[in-house]
Structures are given as C-alpha cells and as structure tokens.
Amino acid sequence: MTDFARFFSDATGGRDPYPFQRRFAAADPLPHLVRAPTGAGKTATAVLGWLWRLLHSGKPTPRRLVYCLPMQVLVEQSFAETLGWLHRLGLLDGPD
C-alpha cells in the first residue's frame, strides 16, 4: 500500500500534503464537502485524496468523483492540474 503523503508528493512534484489533506484522504466516510480558502489546495485534496483511497487505501471509496465548479476557467485549470498529477503518477497512457 502506498502512503498518502508519498502519493501526494509524487503527484505534485515534491509537495507535502497539508494536515487537512491528510485527514480528508483518511476520513471515514469520505467527506462530501471541502471548505478551505482560495489557493489552499482544495482541488488536490479532492482529486488526490479520492484517487489514493480508490487505488491504495482499501477503504470503501466511490468509483467516480463528481467535481462541480462555478466557472469555465476553473474547469480548465482543474483539468490541466489533474492531467499533470495523473501523468506524474504514471496513470495516463500515451507518449510523454
């Protein structure tokens, strides 16, 4: 089993998760809502916390993550971040 901190660091290029991000990934059950200030890492919390649980935790985890955003620019930014994380984790098919 891969430790969440290592998984997060691998995905983000060496950053350590904040304590609230670790709590999210380990929570039982998975939280339905994340409240944190702008720039605090909510996208990384939700996406990487959910993905780690799904792939490595052995905890009951939904197969799908629904992420609702209010503006197109946030959708594009979140999509690009997620693709980068998946690439760094080796979870995308295709050329580098």
Side-chain angles (χ1 to χ4, degrees):
M1 178 166 92
T2 300
D3 170 78
F4 175 71
R6 177 66 186 193
F7 183 83
F8 188 95
S9 179
D10 289 348
T12 60
R15 291 188 324 187
D16 290 327
Y18 293 117
F20 83 92
Q21 292 169 319
R22 291 175 192 254
R23 286 191 303 270
F24 179 91
D28 261 331
L30 187 67
H32 290 91
L33 177 66
V34 175
R35 288 187 186 186
T38 300
K42 291 181 294 293
T43 301
T45 301
V47 173
L48 295 175
W50 167 80
L51 188 59
W52 175 79
R53 287 174 64 103
L54 183 69
L55 299 176
H56 300 290
S57 75
K59 295 178 182 238
T61 304
R63 288 184 31 211
R64 292 186 175 94
L65 174 67
V66 176
Y67 201 95
C68 299
L69 297 165
M71 300 182 314
Q72 182 65 30
V73 68
L74 295 176
V75 171
E76 293 165 0
Q77 179 183 355
S78 297
F79 179 72
E81 281 289 315
T82 301
L83 284 180
W85 297 328
L86 294 173
H87 177 72
R88 283 186 209 97
L89 291 168
L91 298 174
L92 289 180
D93 291 334
D96 291 338

